[in-house]
Amino acid sequence: MSSLELERHSRLGRIRRLAGIMKWAAAVVIALLVLVGVFLVTALIWPEPFGAGSETIDFGTLERPIGELPPLQRLGLAALTGVAFLLLTGAFWHVRRIFAQFQKTDFFSPLTLSTVFTFGIWLIAFGLLDAANDPISSLLASIDLPEGQRIIETEITGGEIFFVVLGTLMLLFGWILREAAMIADENKQFV
């Protein structure tokens, strides 16, 4: 083996090791997201067994204990929470798949590029849901109150912007990698 081949082999080994570690770290995050998501959704639907009945939901000037909310409103908040955790879990599932492909040193396969692209879609969906979360949640938490006490709170923070921008970047990255893979394939055919 030449020194260039040894150096390349060493670099690929580092990539495989780090990708393998990150694949399992992403799997742990997925497990935690599922557990926390199930706990929060269940606590919103049935707050008393979990001691969450006295926990409050705060939106602007509105502060209400969860146990005080009618069951249908709690169900709506639980559904919104469940969808948010589902989107985050889906995004991390695709991160795990990307790391698994990198561990196999499969950088430019259609599966890897498709996974990068799909990861971007999951991030954008989460960012958009996160932006819509405050208005929907505040409406759900106050819909049963008298007309002057209902509230719709809107707020766009750096988190929502970050997820949408990162998701868009991953979409573009997936498209660019696909183009690079097609160019590399064309160059191989010419040789």
Side-chain angles (χ1 to χ4, degrees), residues 79-145:
L80 194 60
T81 301
V83 170
F85 272 90
L86 177 71
L87 290 173
L88 266 181
T89 304
F92 269 95
W93 175 255
H94 283 81
V95 167
R96 186 193 178 285
R97 288 182 60 197
I98 291 168
F99 284 130
Q101 291 300 111
F102 288 169
Q103 186 180 19
K104 297 175 193 173
T105 63
D106 188 11
F107 306 123
F108 297 109
S109 75
L111 178 62
T112 302
L113 304 178
S114 172
T115 305
V116 170
F117 180 82
T118 308
F119 172 56
I121 292 172
W122 282 90
L123 286 179
I124 291 170
F126 178 76
L128 294 175
L129 177 72
D130 198 22
N133 186 42
D134 284 344
I136 295 170
S137 294
S138 61
L139 178 64
L140 283 172
S142 65
I143 194 95
D144 65 319
L145 296 175

Side-chain angles (χ1 to χ4, degrees), residues 1-11:
M1 252 188 194
S2 71
S3 64
L4 289 176
E5 289 173 335
L6 284 173
E7 186 178 322
R8 181 173 187 268
H9 183 71
S10 174
R11 284 193 316 265

